[in-house]
Amino acid sequence: MSLARRALSSFSERLADPASKVQSYISRSRDPYLNLSIEDHILRTSPPDSTVLFLYTNRPCVVIGRNQNPWSEVNLGILHAARQGKHAPMDTEPPAIGDVDIVRRRSGGGAVFHDEGNVNWSITCPRTQFTRDKHAEMVVRTLRKLGVDRARVNERHDIVLDQGLKRHVADPQDTHATAYTAHEGGPRPFKVSGSAYKLTRARALHHATTLLASPNLHIIPQYLRSPAKNFIQAKGVESVSSPVGNIGLDIDTFQERLQEEFAAMYDAGAKRLTVQTVGEEQLSIPDVKKGYEELMTDDWMWSQTPQFTLTLQPYAGVDMDINVHHGIIKAINAKGSRYGTDVLDKIRPALVGQRLQDVGDWHTFLRSRIHPWDDGFDILGHHLENLIPIPKLTKS
Amino acid sequence: MAARFAVARAAHQLSSSAARKPSAFACQRWQRPAAMMVVERRLFSGSAAVREKKYTEDHEWIEYSADGKTCTLGISEYAAKSLGDVVYVELPQVDLEISAGDAIGAVESVKSASDILTPVSGTVVEVNSTLEQKPGSLNKDPEGESWIAKLTVEGEPEGKMMSKEEYTAFTEEA
């Protein structure tokens, strides 16, 4: 008896227990790489017919979709602004914001900013019961019970707060419309929660952000606006940018009510659903540790980027296209006069075949590769460092 | 690298109407004599490979070449329909060695990432680069022009492989 109980006491074993049809977890860790890896472990090892809620909050980070280009989606140069001291201090008062991690998640979708005022909720459920709206609707019901009557699910499966004037009585059961829904041309709703999905044969993961009380709303656009956006032509998935807002609810209250709503939806209140806490100790699970380390590799962060072309004008009258495939510079082509050929003859051998993730700082890299050095190449280094920097990933 | 992150992909329930689509039966019938001839010749030479499209429970298909040494892999019409509009297809790299059950690529549609699994082991010899330029074409002809990859085959496929009829019944059950 006591042995049996102990056998099921580990997180992994309880998670995979076929009798656990409805499970609820919350993480005390603020590490985005860890939380995403615990979530992936849940997706891969929970029983095929189970439904699992997982709540977590990350330290400040930018999370991009699986098939996105970090250089065109994220202002990478300011992630470690405080540490590098290369860029002017940002308007971060109050409060000061330090290092911001960059993370490529395994699900699809666009780039989002996370911080301690944002709660991430994720639901893993059977593929046969999955729809893209089902659990966003669950969250909207929770929000409305907490008095947020402007909340609804929009056509992109995100949650928004309508900003229109109260016009009519809306059906409180309709999670896709509110009394404040404005007609086209009216005030744009604020996005407060963004959804993304990962599908496997038997299972579906829906995870989403929830901006409850972010102190950083005013600087989120600075992180999600890249200086390279107009110079990169990328395959893959482009973010759709939306005005964002805070819901303005207490984090603990929201989490508790969401856990209750989830329990009511799946457990029918038959027995009280216990919420289990997870954290750093889950790194002792080999599968979690493996996923955690993979998310922090340069291969996953940089070389997973879909092919793209960066167009530069480093020298007057020269248009230079740098073609990157699987994170490796495949070709450099240039149109233009004067500097054209002799400059290219030096640049091509230095750059073609190079993996971006191994470059480090562009100035140092170019100086080590181009001989004899001409100060004119500093301009190229400046452009590259500005547009496609490769910041070091946090190893925590 | 991507392959290691993957788990599986597929389609099942998203649109139950997709299951009822009559699908390419006519084409199937038209192909059969050729397929059977190959079978007969195979019986002679002792090979087990059959030149007919076979489907997995993960909604991929494979079709062997005439000599049985290579196969073409793709996703089923059912899968393509239920995924919705495809916005990106991640293809494997040529020369990649793969094991049955590996994710060899991924599809993104409507903010969802789904893996493409291979039921056979071998090596990637060719990928359909058109899909990198025009991912949406995967929705149009997933069992024809929009194949994913060609592989040299080592050994037998792993897991349940179904004929077109069996697969159609399988998707209707779900």
Side-chain angles (χ1 to χ4, degrees):
Chain A
M1 172 71 192
S2 65
L3 266 180
R5 196 181 297 147
R6 198 177 314 141
L8 278 182
S9 66
S10 88
F11 162 70
S12 270
E13 284 163 354
R14 266 178 317 196
L15 176 64
D17 178 8
S20 309
K21 303 286 187 224
V22 186
Q23 307 185 44
S24 183
Y25 297 93
I26 187 163
S27 175
R28 75 169 82 79
S29 170
R30 295 287 175 265
D31 182 340
Y33 304 102
L34 175 64
N35 287 328
L36 283 170
S37 300
I38 293 173
E39 186 181 62
D40 191 53
H41 183 66
I42 292 173
L43 172 66
R44 296 198 287 145
T45 59
S46 53
D49 58 347
S50 66
T51 305
V52 185
L53 172 70
F54 178 44
L55 302 180
Y56 55 95
T57 297
N58 292 328
R59 63 185 179 232
C61 59
V62 172
V63 184
I64 65 169
R66 179 194 170 105
N67 298 311
Q68 290 205 288
N69 184 313
W71 294 284
S72 64
E73 295 292 341
V74 184
N75 191 355
L76 296 169
I78 65 169
L79 293 179
H80 306 305
R83 200 196 306 168
Q84 291 172 335
K86 269 200 295 196
H87 299 263
M90 294 167 44
D91 171 25
T92 57
E93 306 278 330
I97 185 169
D99 280 357
V100 173
D101 289 305
I102 172 102
V103 187
R104 183 192 295 278
R105 60 177 186 263
R106 297 179 176 90
S107 60
V112 286
F113 181 91
H114 290 196
D115 64 18
E116 282 86 354
N118 169 64
V119 170
N120 302 291
W121 51 269
S122 93
I123 297 271
T124 300
C125 73
R127 218 25 223 266
T128 47
Q129 284 159 34
F130 164 79
T131 71
R132 288 187 173 87
D133 281 340
K134 187 179 188 178
H135 295 105
E137 289 166 359
M138 173 186 81
V139 174
V140 164
R141 286 197 301 276
T142 307
L143 290 173
R144 290 196 184 167
K145 284 178 188 171
L146 286 162
V148 187
D149 56 354
R150 292 173 183 267
R152 68 173 164 92
V153 180
N154 75 2
E155 61 295 338
R156 290 181 45 78
H157 320 288
D158 294 329
I159 299 173
V160 296
L161 299 186
D162 278 329
Q163 300 300 312
L165 294 172
K166 187 164 188 171
R167 290 178 300 114
H168 51 78
V169 182
D171 176 2
Q173 304 303 313
D174 183 352
T175 48
H176 294 256
T178 73
Y180 306 91
T181 305
H183 287 299
E184 215 170 310
R188 271 186 89 178
F190 289 141
K191 176 173 163 181
V192 292
S193 169
S195 291
Y197 311 86
K198 167 91 188 161
L199 308 176
T200 70
R201 182 207 323 206
R203 309 285 280 157
L205 166 77
H206 177 180
H207 59 183
T209 53
T210 320
L211 276 170
L212 293 172
S214 167
N216 298 311
L217 280 196
H218 61 302
I219 54 167
I220 290 178
Q222 293 185 51
Y223 281 94
L224 299 181
R225 208 175 285 140
S226 160
K229 182 87 186 169
N230 297 329
F231 302 97
I232 288 179
Q233 270 205 306
K235 302 289 172 202
V237 176
E238 217 176 302
S239 297
V240 176
S241 95
S242 316
V244 296
N246 274 319
I247 297 169
L249 284 176
D250 175 65
I251 288 181
D252 290 338
T253 309
F254 171 75
Q255 292 184 151
E256 280 162 30
R257 296 299 284 273
L258 182 57
Q259 286 160 341
E260 286 167 19
E261 187 71 33
F262 170 75
M265 188 170 169
Y266 287 101
D267 215 27
K271 59 180 186 326
R272 214 178 124 68
L273 184 62
T274 50
V275 177
Q276 295 161 56
T277 304
V278 295
E280 309 267 289
E281 62 275 18
Q282 267 61 51
L283 278 176
S284 63
I285 302 162
D287 186 56
V288 173
K289 173 113 172 147
K290 184 167 167 263
Y292 178 73
E293 285 171 351
E294 280 171 333
L295 283 185
M296 288 194 288
T297 59
D298 288 321
D299 273 346
W300 177 249
M301 186 61 235
W302 310 115
S303 295
Q304 174 71 17
T305 304
Q307 67 176 94
F308 68 97
T309 300
L310 172 73
T311 302
L312 301 174
Q313 282 134 358
Y315 309 107
V318 181
D319 263 358
M320 191 184 286
D321 278 352
I322 301 183
N323 187 256
V324 180
H325 207 163
H326 298 296
I328 297 168
I329 297 177
K330 289 290 176 197
I332 297 182
N333 297 302
K335 300 189 288 280
S337 55
R338 297 211 292 162
Y339 301 94
T341 51
D342 54 324
V343 168
L344 273 180
D345 287 346
K346 285 185 176 170
I347 292 173
R348 272 210 189 97
L351 290 183
V352 173
Q354 178 62 38
R355 282 206 306 183
L356 293 184
Q357 68 184 53
D358 299 331
V359 164
D361 174 78
W362 278 106
H363 297 281
T364 317
F365 174 80
L366 288 181
R367 279 182 178 272
S368 74
R369 289 297 184 90
I370 299 179
H371 305 287
W373 182 258
D374 180 306
D375 285 346
F377 291 118
D378 278 331
I379 302 166
L380 179 65
H382 174 76
H383 276 272
L384 291 171
E385 191 58 36
N386 217 12
L387 297 176
I388 51 167
I390 300 105
K392 283 203 169 27
L393 301 178
T394 307
K395 307 286 180 199
S396 45
Chain B
M1 173 102 211
R4 273 188 278 129
F5 292 98
V7 198
R9 63 141 275 293
H12 264 159
Q13 66 303 318
L14 296 183
S15 69
S16 55
S17 62
R20 256 122 236 151
K21 202 209 157 228
S23 73
F25 273 122
C27 171
Q28 187 70 17
R29 231 174 269 127
W30 177 80
Q31 278 185 350
R32 184 145 310 139
M36 278 159 55
M37 274 162 58
V38 175
V39 176
E40 279 158 25
R41 204 176 39 177
R42 276 293 137 56
L43 289 175
F44 251 103
S45 65
S47 163
V50 174
R51 195 174 180 214
E52 182 195 9
K53 234 179 224 167
K54 290 287 191 182
Y55 297 80
T56 70
E57 290 185 332
D58 288 308
H59 309 276
E60 286 89 17
W61 55 265
I62 56 167
E63 186 173 40
Y64 283 90
S65 59
D67 65 7
K69 285 179 185 160
T70 62
C71 77
T72 305
L73 182 149
I75 70 167
S76 72
E77 279 183 24
Y78 177 80
K81 272 218 170 62
S82 66
L83 285 172
D85 290 344
V86 172
V87 292
Y88 183 68
V89 182
E90 182 190 325
L91 298 169
Q93 296 201 49
V94 170
D95 292 335
L96 180 75
E97 285 182 26
I98 52 173
S99 301
D102 281 354
I104 62 162
V107 174
E108 178 158 344
S109 57
V110 205
K111 302 198 241 187
S112 312
S114 316
D115 296 329
I116 303 167
L117 302 181
T118 171
V120 293
S121 299
T123 306
V124 177
V125 288
E126 194 184 341
V127 296
N128 189 354
S129 305
T130 316
L131 295 174
E132 285 177 339
Q133 309 306 320
K134 291 182 181 167
S137 62
L138 188 57
N139 289 115
K140 294 190 190 103
D141 192 13
E143 300 201 19
E145 296 273 294
S146 298
W147 51 276
I148 304 280
K150 297 191 181 193
L151 321 164
T152 58
V153 181
E154 280 159 33
E156 296 297 312
E158 275 179 25
K160 188 176 174 188
M161 301 303 294
M162 293 172 275
S163 67
K164 181 87 188 175
E165 288 82 356
E166 289 166 334
Y167 176 71
T168 304
F170 169 75
T171 55
E172 278 169 1
E173 263 168 40

